[in-house]
Amino acid sequence: MDPGKPVFRRPAGVLALIPLGVLGLLLLAVQILLVIGLVAESSGSDHPTLTVGSCVRNDGDWIDQDLRTVPCGSADAQFRVSDPSTSVCLPEDHRAGLEYSKDGATSFCLRSLK
């Protein structure tokens, strides 16, 4: 029995390579995008973890906070961090976002230094 031409010398065999190649590239692209997303997510969480008594400055507005820890004696220091469970937040105090706490569930009070 004659097997005929090899598969990749037949027009149907060559045409079958096109969708298989596209599928392979698509699967590879999805994996690459997942890796890029994981790397970007791990490097994107640059929020400092606030501690009671430390000083911070806000480089953003209060809706989109961008808190940075600074030395308390520095001219950049705007607020001192206090724990709402041990001291009362005053009406003029600001609240730090949950992402700035170690457990992700505590919202610290920020009392103005000026």
Side-chain angles (χ1 to χ4, degrees):
M1 296 178 85
D2 183 21
K5 292 183 182 179
V7 173
F8 295 119
R9 288 194 182 170
R10 300 177 197 169
V14 174
L15 288 176
L17 286 178
I18 295 172
L20 289 175
V22 170
L23 180 64
L25 287 175
L26 184 64
L27 291 174
L28 183 66
V30 167
Q31 291 177 354
I32 290 172
L33 289 174
L34 285 174
V35 169
I36 290 172
L38 290 174
V39 169
E41 182 178 316
S42 66
S43 67
S45 61
D46 61 347
H47 298 297
T49 301
L50 300 182
T51 56
V52 175
S54 64
C55 294
V56 296
R57 66 184 164 90
N58 185 15
D59 290 336
D61 57 22
W62 287 108
I63 294 172
D64 187 26
Q65 295 176 1
D66 186 15
L67 300 177
R68 302 288 172 209
T69 55
V70 294
C72 288
S74 164
D76 289 338
Q78 296 174 319
F79 304 96
R80 185 176 302 272
V81 178
S82 63
D83 188 357
S85 65
T86 59
S87 66
V88 177
C89 286
L90 300 175
E92 62 268 10
D93 288 350
H94 294 281
R95 291 265 186 178
L98 297 176
E99 66 270 16
Y100 292 100
S101 66
K102 186 175 185 176
D103 61 3
T106 305
S107 179
F108 292 107
C109 296
L110 303 175
R111 188 156 295 152
S112 178
L113 293 174
K114 299 175 187 191

